[in-house]
Every structure is written in structure tokens, then in C-alpha cells.
Amino acid sequence: MATEIKQTTRAQESTNAIERLYITMRHLLNRGFYKPSGVSGNALRSALLLLRPEIYGTVAEDKAELNGLIYVLERLPNGIEECRFINLTSDEGYSKSHLKPIVPPKRRRNCYRIDEEQMNIEITRGRSDIYDILTHLTFLFIESGKICKRVLVDEGNATIRDWDKLNSFVLSEEKGDDEREVALIHAANILGRTFDEVVEIQNKLATPESPDQFLNVIHWLGKLAIEEETTGNKRTITFSPLLRERLGHHIHGERWADMIKQTLKDNNLLNRPLHIISANMHSVMNSLFAKKALAKDFPNTKSLEVFEALSAAKNKSLNKKVKSAAEKNGMLFLDDTSGANIDVQIFDTAKFGMGTCCYDLPEGILEEQKPVIFVMDYAFGEQAYETIDELLKPFEQGDQKWFLNVDSVSIMGKAGILEGGKGDLMIPSAHIFEGTADNYPFRNELCASDFEGNGLKVLEGAMVTVLGTSLQNKDILRFFHESTWNVIGLEMEGVHYQKAIQSASQIRKSIKKDVKVRYAYYASDNPLETGSTLASGGLGTTGVKPTYLITDRILKQIFNS
């Protein structure tokens, strides 16, 4: 009897494509270089086109993908589209040179324009950073190839009129509004998009210094692809020997953790109960002090309105007031110099003055029992393991060894939700690592009932730690959500945090076995809804309510424990 051959589903195809992308990227890293138009570059490109991630919209169609382009440009250094050579390096001392670092608006990484043709990108946050960059670059090269295909005619010997006109506008000295509009009409034709769509993106990307940034990007993406096709001058991506040697060795994480433990020792805090919180650099400080510090500015206002005011860019003076109140009450701010790009705040509750903090400790608590709250900025992907793993190790100096008295680790983060909308909450009961059989169930001190009655949807269940947010598509996410995995959301760090906490508490025994863990996420997007992905823009004030609600529940538990 003939056996029936089952067709692979889109979810299975997509999972294979993600696996291929990662294996190819690791192979290229070990090899040290690749050409995007070569065999290896094509392998990355075809896997990404098969995957068609939600964030990159119409990447697999002939027309240009404009929202995806903005998403990528915000995460890559300004001017990268002009560079034929892109070099990924470790921290190799460029900051001491005359070169000024270029920092992308949505990713904290130092990049250096070496000359007209070369951009160096510093990798200090581990493999997740490399995967992120290579995925975005692959998207750029796909878009660049589309432009080339549309503008080259006569077997590559001539270019279409639209391209010639766009070219002359970009290179011209005098640029008036009328000429700009005409150039946008030509660009729309090249990109297969409407004039309206192109104008909208032009306005989003324009800055006072560079009003024609969008047209410049399109011009350079096309120019390099055309030159590659006609002259054989190929773009090249390289990985420096030092980067390849240092990767996975926790160099920055160890430096970062040592600096923190030294600060704790210098301030006689090493033996005190320590509560670690991974969050942003404002919500804990504001929750602790804002309402009291700004009592005169907001006499009858609810906390949420105070926090919304603090999140507005125009209210810098209010932020300064709160920061100054925190510093008067013993807050230490450690500006990160380790290269990990993770800033730190330390709050010593024993130094809080009478009536200055918005939370109260139980009466009669001894000074040495008063908690120390340690807040670290968000880690990125695998970097979460590196930093927490190093932090939870004992502090050694000479023959002496101090074990940290860690009472709790709380993780607050943004995540993609699979049922709900921006600002809704997810309380995980387990983290599942995408692409592996690894799963990490744990007892979460936070639960859905802690957050109910606040007008936000609260989901409880398993969450997937993905290898990269830019690699997810609806088919995989639907499988996770609708199968017995019962997944409620996806993020990038959960597994890595939990792996470090479990190994420190259960195996290495460097912290107590019954350390409390708290995880809570709020939705930055819903990748299952078209138009609600990360590429659709930020949260605005929608993020204020969930951020402070989670922070409040974490702090209440710390102060009452």
C-alpha cells in the first residue's frame, strides 16, 4: 500500500527557514566574511524570502517595503546604505580615535564610519546582536536588488529615465520643494509605490540636517546594487578576528558585574538583601519618589497622570526633580563603561528619608535587613544570560569570597502578544526556547489576579523566547498560539534570564535555592494582526499604564516581603 506523503505546513517551512538562517549566520561568522551577492548571501536572502517575516511586510513582492525599511534604518547606523564594506568588530578601542560614534536611534550600539566606503559596527552584546544586524542587512540587500532590477534595462547597459532624474536630483546642489516633489514621483515609480506612500515615508525619515534622507537612501541602495551588477564591485561583510575570538566569553558581562559588585562592597551593601529588577531607567525611580517629590506640581493628581507627564519629552525639569530627590535619598547611578551598554541604579532603602518614598517597609525592620533594590537596563537577547550569570556569581578579591544575598529577581519587559493589543499584559508561567526542545517552567510570584480591574487584558501562560523579533511570521506564531503549547506571547530574553537564575540557584548554589522570580511583560505589538507589528510604530503613552502597573506590583512585593 502506497504511503501518503504529508505536505509540510507553512509553519514547518518557516521553522526550517529560521533554522537555516541561524546555521548560515553562524557559519559565516566562523568563516569571517561573506558577499551578500555571493552563494552565502543568497542562502540568507532565500531563507528570509521563504520566511517572509511580518515585520518586513511585502519583502517577497516586487514593490518596495517601506515600513520595514524605516524599522531597519532606525536600528542600523546612519549612512550604512552608502557603504560597500561593513565590518562587525568587538570593542577594539575606536572610541579613543578621532572617529565620532554613530548610534542608531533604536539600538544602543556604537558604529564608526571609517571612510566613504566602510562602516564598522561594534558588537558588545553577543550573538543576538549579530543575528539582528545580519537579518536587517539582508532585508536592505533584498530591497536594494529590487531597485536595481527595476532601473537596469538593455541587458544592464542603460538605466530608466526615472532613475536618471532621481540621480540628478540627489547630486544637485540646489534643491527646491518643487524639484523634491518631482524626484519623489520618480522614486514612487521606481519603488512600485504610490506618490502618497512615498511622501509619507519621506516625511517620517526627514530631519532638519537631512531633509532628503529617504531619497538619498533609495539612491544609494540602487547605486551600489547597479555598480555590483555592472562593474563587479561587490559589497562585503566581514567579522573582525577579535570579535570571532571573544564571542561567547562574557568579557563585557564580567566587567559589568565586577564593577557592580565592587560598588556594592564599597557601600557596605554586599550582605544586605538584594532585589534585582530588569526594567527601564525611569519607572522604578519614579514609582519610588515621583508622587512625593512632585507633590507641589501635582497636588490632586493621580499617579498615572504624574507618570504620563514624566514620560513627555517637554517635561525634562520634572524628571530632574525626581532624579535629584532619588539621589538625596541614596540612589547610586552607574553609567556603564564596560561595553555591555546596560546602565544601573542602586537604591538603598536604609537611606530613604522620612516621608520621601511612596512605599513603606514593615515597622521594626533592622537596618541590615532593609532591602537594596538593584535596577538594570534591558539586556538584548543572549546578553541577558551573560549579564545575570556573571552578576549572580560570588564576588572574589584575593582569598576572600562574598556570596550575594539575592532575595528576588524581577523581569519587566516588552513583548509581542498573540491575543490582545498594545499595552495588554502577559504573565508567563514558563519560557520556551524557539528552535529547541528547551523549556523553563518556574513559579512566578506575580499572577494575573495582581493586575485585574485596571482596564487591561491580562493573559497567563507560556511565552516563547525567540531568536530574533524580525524573524517571526504569522504561521509560526499561530502554531505556537493554537497548539497545546498555548503560547501567549513572544520576547527575546526570558529563557536566557531563567537559565542563569536556575543554574545559580539550583546547580552552582551561589544564591539561595528559594530565590523569588517575577516576570511580567506588556504588549508592544501583536504580530498576528496586520498593521500592529513593531514596524507600525511605538507605544506612545499606551505604554505608561502597563509599565507603572507592573513596577508597582513588583515594588509592593519587595517592600512587603
Side-chain angles (χ1 to χ4, degrees), residues 108 256 259-260 263-264 267 269 279-283 285 322-324 326-337 341-348 373-378:
R108 285 177 63 182
W256 177 83
M259 170 192 75
I260 288 155
T263 306
L264 290 171
N267 290 275
L269 301 173
N280 51 55
M281 284 285 101
H282 55 262
S283 62
M285 177 177 76
V322 179
K323 195 176 179 196
S324 151
E327 283 166 345
K328 279 180 193 152
N329 288 282
M331 178 185 88
L332 298 170
F333 177 75
L334 306 187
D335 200 358
D336 178 45
T337 54
N341 269 328
I342 298 178
D343 293 336
V344 161
Q345 293 163 330
I346 298 171
F347 298 91
D348 177 0
I373 299 169
F374 167 89
V375 182
M376 61 183 276
D377 210 343
Y378 297 119

Side-chain angles (χ1 to χ4, degrees), residues 47-61:
L48 198 68
L49 287 171
L50 173 67
L51 189 60
R52 298 197 294 279
E54 292 312 302
I55 228 152
Y56 295 148
T58 57
V59 69
E61 295 173 27

Side-chain angles (χ1 to χ4, degrees), residues 14 25 29 78 128 135 264 288 397 402 410 424 470 485 498 501 509 529 554:
S14 303
M25 287 193 222
L29 183 59
N78 197 7
S128 299
T135 314
L264 290 171
L288 289 171
Q397 262 185 355
W402 294 269
S410 306
D424 288 339
S470 49
W485 284 110
Q498 192 56 29
I501 295 164
K509 310 280 197 290
E529 282 178 17
I554 290 171

Side-chain angles (χ1 to χ4, degrees), residues 234-271:
K234 297 196 184 300
R235 287 168 285 192
T236 308
I237 293 169
T238 51
F239 307 92
S240 80
L242 259 179
L243 172 67
R244 288 151 65 206
E245 185 187 307
R246 287 174 171 178
L247 217 67
H249 290 303
H250 292 200
I251 286 165
H252 301 287
E254 190 176 350
R255 261 190 232 154
W256 177 83
D258 285 347
M259 170 192 75
I260 288 155
K261 288 181 240 186
Q262 187 61 58
T263 306
L264 290 171
K265 182 176 181 289
D266 294 344
N267 290 275
N268 296 320
L269 301 173
L270 266 181
N271 298 318

